[in-house]
Amino acid sequence: MNRIPLALLMIVVIASPLTAQVSDGVNNSLPQQDAPPVAHESVVPSACDCIHSNCCDASYAKCGCESQRSLCECGSGRFYFDINGGGTILWMPDYNFFAERGEGGPFNRNSNLNTADNATPGFAVGGSIGMICRRSLLGACQTRLETRYSYLDAQTSTNSAFLDPGAGTRFGWEAFDTAGGFGTNDGNTLTTRVDRDVALHSLDLLLHQDYQLYGQNRLTLYAGASLRRLEQDFDVFGQISTSVTMRESLNTDYYGGKLGMSTRRPVRAGWMFEGDCGIGLYGASSDYVGNYADSTPSDISRTRSSSDFAVNPYATLKLTKPISPNAFISGYTTAEYLNYVPQMEYGELGTPPSAGSVRMDGDEMTSLVLGLNLTFVR
């Protein structure tokens, strides 16, 4: 009777290490590998990066996204903001107040003189603030709501001179609305100065949908409301035997929206490349106020208004690198085109001053911005 308990005891003692060996063998047959580290590559650290690297289920330290812990936990409660600044060039419409005119009556306007630099240099500043939503929409792994503002300011001062060589040529200007005009005599010179100041304000409210593609590559689709205001101010002086001064304000409000997409992918040395393109669609409302004065003397004021439709395609290229777990620096360039910018006309070509009428026409604008962007995530 005593041999049975002893036999059972021996079986247990022998089976215990075998069981441990079998268990170890099962574990070793599936090597445990740390999830690949997630670089802090994006201007907006993404819940997608953590979720798709199993950071939310594994050790945050192993995944390299300890700083994104609260982001990984349901991807909520995080917000980000950025500031940016740089240089800009705006290519603006011609300024058409001064003209080449007929030598004799009725002194038709033969062609406009471009007396202002079209390439207008300046500066650009802006920023945005965004919130990562608690729940994603439409199958995205992350949804963000972002407000963005930018301001561009550009100025030029252009001095020009037009020598009247003799018969057949005459330079000058037409006063407002059938009020006559002035031109050079043979051998005289028209001198002009045009100061142009351009300001462009932009405000967007955009919904971003982030989709993980593969690895650390991501696609973002976005759309939302957009408002813009373009302000053009001119301070003009012209001199022949008489002189003229003009002060003009030409402002346009753009109301509409924009939609676009961006994609990002990692490049060397921890940098992230991002490309962004989109289009804005706007209704445009323009108002003009002009004050004319010459030395004869005459003093005339005019106002005009106009409405139109504007299309605004744009593209941005950006390189981003982390400078801390929650801060990023980017170099970027943005190019955009606006197909409708108001432009004043002071008389029809081929018609005399008596038939002239100040009217609002439309031209186009192109801009280029080079700058730096700083992003902070909390």
Side-chain angles (χ1 to χ4, degrees), residues 199-202 226-232 250-256 281-288 306-310 338 340-342 360:
L200 177 61
H201 306 260
S202 301
S226 180
L227 301 175
R228 313 193 84 184
R229 180 175 175 84
L230 177 64
E231 300 173 349
Q232 302 181 73
L250 181 54
N251 299 325
T252 306
D253 292 312
Y254 299 87
Y255 306 91
L281 303 173
Y282 302 93
S285 177
S286 302
D287 293 296
Y288 168 81
S306 179
S307 297
D308 214 306
F309 180 77
L338 189 59
Y340 171 75
V341 171
M360 195 178 297

Side-chain angles (χ1 to χ4, degrees), residues 321-369:
K321 187 175 180 63
I323 54 178
S324 77
N326 295 304
F328 308 82
I329 187 168
S330 306
Y332 71 95
T333 179
T334 297
E336 64 176 293
Y337 169 79
L338 189 59
N339 78 321
Y340 171 75
V341 171
Q343 176 188 41
M344 299 309 298
E345 299 288 353
Y346 304 89
E348 295 280 352
L349 296 182
T351 64
S354 60
S357 177
V358 179
R359 62 185 176 85
M360 195 178 297
D361 202 351
D363 205 340
E364 58 192 22
M365 179 188 82
T366 305
S367 69
L368 179 67
V369 178

Side-chain angles (χ1 to χ4, degrees), residues 156-287:
T156 56
S157 183
T158 308
N159 293 278
S160 303
F162 303 87
L163 173 64
D164 186 338
T169 302
R170 180 181 175 91
F171 301 109
W173 64 85
E174 297 176 9
F176 279 173
D177 288 353
T178 69
F182 300 90
T184 53
N185 295 318
D186 293 349
N188 288 353
T189 298
L190 165 68
T191 59
T192 67
R193 188 197 74 242
V194 178
D195 298 333
R196 188 202 311 248
D197 189 350
V198 181
L200 177 61
H201 306 260
S202 301
L203 179 64
D204 303 323
L205 179 62
L206 303 173
L207 184 70
H208 294 252
Q209 294 283 93
D210 298 326
Y211 295 90
Q212 198 76 10
L213 298 180
Y214 55 92
Q216 296 176 17
N217 295 272
R218 192 174 76 184
L219 172 70
T220 297
L221 305 178
Y222 62 87
S226 180
L227 301 175
R228 313 193 84 184
R229 180 175 175 84
L230 177 64
E231 300 173 349
Q232 302 181 73
D233 293 313
F234 299 90
D235 194 345
V236 181
F237 176 79
Q239 175 73 49
I240 311 176
S241 55
T242 57
S243 61
V244 63
T245 59
M246 288 268 287
R247 284 184 172 83
E248 300 175 286
S249 176
L250 181 54
N251 299 325
T252 306
D253 292 312
Y254 299 87
Y255 306 91
K258 61 171 54 175
L259 55 89
M261 62 180 293
S262 66
T263 181
R264 68 173 200 187
R265 58 176 300 169
V267 291
R268 293 182 179 180
W271 289 88
M272 176 64 64
F273 171 79
E274 184 172 346
D276 185 336
C277 63
I279 189 168
L281 303 173
Y282 302 93
S285 177
S286 302
D287 293 296

Side-chain angles (χ1 to χ4, degrees), residues 35-260:
V38 177
H40 302 291
E41 74 284 354
S42 172
V43 171
V44 181
S46 171
C48 307
D49 301 328
C50 284
I51 292 171
H52 287 266
S53 297
N54 294 319
C55 279
C56 294
D57 300 321
S59 165
Y60 293 99
K62 288 182 179 180
C63 288
C65 62
E66 177 66 29
S67 66
Q68 300 184 42
R69 176 185 292 272
S70 62
L71 179 63
C72 293
E73 292 170 351
C74 301
S76 64
R78 299 296 298 268
F79 72 90
Y80 58 91
F81 62 95
D82 65 50
I83 55 174
N84 58 70
T88 184
I89 298 180
L90 305 179
W91 285 270
M92 302 299 298
D94 293 341
Y95 182 74
N96 292 331
F97 176 65
F98 297 101
E100 180 181 347
R101 306 181 60 201
E103 179 72 18
F107 306 109
N108 290 342
R109 174 181 283 261
N110 295 330
S111 64
N112 296 319
L113 299 177
N114 185 13
T115 54
D117 260 344
N118 292 39
T120 309
F123 67 90
V125 295
S128 68
I129 184 168
M131 174 65 72
I132 299 170
C133 301
R134 291 185 176 275
R135 294 186 179 181
S136 60
L137 304 174
L138 302 177
C141 60
Q142 180 173 270
T143 297
R144 296 179 283 123
L145 187 63
E146 181 180 284
T147 300
R148 181 186 304 166
Y149 172 77
S150 65
Y151 173 73
L152 279 65
D153 191 284
Q155 301 177 5
T156 56
S157 183
T158 308
N159 293 278
S160 303
F162 303 87
L163 173 64
D164 186 338
T169 302
R170 180 181 175 91
F171 301 109
W173 64 85
E174 297 176 9
F176 279 173
D177 288 353
T178 69
F182 300 90
T184 53
N185 295 318
D186 293 349
N188 288 353
T189 298
L190 165 68
T191 59
T192 67
R193 188 197 74 242
V194 178
D195 298 333
R196 188 202 311 248
D197 189 350
V198 181
L200 177 61
H201 306 260
S202 301
L203 179 64
D204 303 323
L205 179 62
L206 303 173
L207 184 70
H208 294 252
Q209 294 283 93
D210 298 326
Y211 295 90
Q212 198 76 10
L213 298 180
Y214 55 92
Q216 296 176 17
N217 295 272
R218 192 174 76 184
L219 172 70
T220 297
L221 305 178
Y222 62 87
S226 180
L227 301 175
R228 313 193 84 184
R229 180 175 175 84
L230 177 64
E231 300 173 349
Q232 302 181 73
D233 293 313
F234 299 90
D235 194 345
V236 181
F237 176 79
Q239 175 73 49
I240 311 176
S241 55
T242 57
S243 61
V244 63
T245 59
M246 288 268 287
R247 284 184 172 83
E248 300 175 286
S249 176
L250 181 54
N251 299 325
T252 306
D253 292 312
Y254 299 87
Y255 306 91
K258 61 171 54 175
L259 55 89

